Amino acid sequence: MKVLLLKDPKEDDCGQDPYIRELGLYGLEATLIPVLSFEFWSLPSFLEKLSHPEGYGGLIFTSPRAVEAVELCLEKDNKTEVNKIGLHTEGENCGNAGKLAEYICSRESSALPLLFPCGTLKREILPKMLKDKGIPVESLTVYQTIPHPGIQGNLNSYYSQQGIPASITFFSPSGLTHSLKHIQELSGDNIDQIKFVAIGPTTAHALAAQGLPVSCTAESPTPQALAAGIRTALQSHGC
């Protein structure tokens, strides 16, 4: 059974994308198509701030692209280099803004602001939560999200070769925005056959706002949780 994931392919230490591997364990043939690209902004200004860690209480990372911006600035492994200039990396995958704010409050004791490298589509929930708790945050936009130039061509190729997928997984509201029109055109009247899946609650809300039924929301943004959720959704619908 064929399933479509709208994300960049990324190989792990085993040389395979973990989402493809986990879905394969359930007998699902997954194809990954990237729908987003990123442009980096203000890197000289970001590097200047990174070079003066004494002015900040720490760094907040909420996206891989923010980490990549640090890597681009420092041109080496981000954890090693950030530690060298005094901004130590620690923390956990907190899952949502509320949990992250709680974690930061439990650790933060400095009166200095936290440096928050972010994208143009960032939500204000986390900065507001921290501000309400008396923790200053300095946000700096370091990247913007744009449509991947190959969206339409890659989707056309997929549909012509593979047909209608049993499910389509969206990994962000912006990914949904930039791909939905093409999917609707290619699927036509068969779109009701597709089970729409979200990687998390924010993306699920975006799907619902477009009037699309959400067959599954992954319990956590991991390959294992997503694969289990897709399998359950397909089984429950008799696929």
Side-chain angles (χ1 to χ4, degrees), residues 34-223:
V35 293
L36 300 176
S37 292
F38 303 92
E39 293 180 345
F40 289 93
W41 289 0
S42 308
L43 293 187
S45 175
F46 190 25
L47 178 58
E48 177 67 18
K49 295 178 184 296
L50 291 173
S51 300
H52 295 282
E54 68 278 1
Y56 300 96
L59 271 168
I60 304 173
F61 291 118
T62 59
S63 75
R65 240 56 57 185
V67 176
E68 188 176 347
V70 174
E71 293 174 335
L72 289 172
C73 285
L74 303 173
E75 298 181 347
K76 292 182 180 180
D77 177 74
N78 70 295
K79 287 189 177 180
T80 300
E81 293 302 308
V82 168
N83 285 343
K84 282 183 180 178
I85 63 175
L87 290 172
H88 298 280
T89 55
E90 65 172 54
E92 58 186 40
N93 181 4
C94 297
N96 60 49
K99 290 182 179 179
L100 180 55
E102 290 175 5
Y103 177 80
I104 292 172
C105 290
S106 71
R107 305 288 294 178
E108 179 61 18
S109 59
S110 171
L112 295 173
L114 298 174
L115 182 57
F116 180 27
C118 54
T120 52
L121 299 179
K122 79 168 174 61
R123 304 172 73 192
E124 295 296 332
I125 295 176
L126 178 60
K128 184 179 185 303
M129 284 182 172
L130 293 175
K131 182 179 179 181
D132 290 345
K133 294 178 181 295
I135 298 177
V137 177
E138 181 179 331
S139 300
L140 178 66
T141 301
V142 295
Y143 68 92
Q144 69 167 340
T145 304
I146 60 175
H148 191 283
I151 292 178
Q152 187 169 4
N154 289 334
L155 286 172
N156 286 344
S157 177
Y158 177 87
Y159 271 76
S160 64
Q161 295 176 20
Q162 307 285 347
I164 305 294
S167 74
I168 298 178
T169 301
F170 296 90
F171 284 76
S172 68
S174 52
L176 170 66
T177 299
H178 296 309
S179 61
L180 181 57
K181 178 182 177 181
H182 303 304
I183 289 170
Q184 289 172 326
E185 292 175 350
L186 290 166
S187 301
D189 294 336
N190 294 315
I191 196 167
D192 292 338
Q193 301 176 14
I194 302 172
K195 310 307 173 190
F196 292 105
V197 178
I199 192 63
T202 301
T203 305
H205 291 322
L207 278 165
Q210 292 290 341
L212 297 173
V214 182
S215 298
C216 165
T217 301
E219 291 187 1
S220 63
T222 64

Side-chain angles (χ1 to χ4, degrees), residues 1 3 5 19 22-23 26 28 166-169 195-199 214-237 239:
M1 190 176 299
V3 297
L5 278 63
Y19 286 93
E22 289 296 326
L23 287 161
Y26 294 119
L28 300 173
S167 74
I168 298 178
T169 301
K195 310 307 173 190
F196 292 105
V197 178
I199 192 63
V214 182
S215 298
C216 165
T217 301
E219 291 187 1
S220 63
T222 64
Q224 295 80 7
L226 180 65
I230 291 176
R231 181 192 65 166
T232 299
L234 294 176
Q235 287 179 338
S236 65
H237 286 84
C239 296

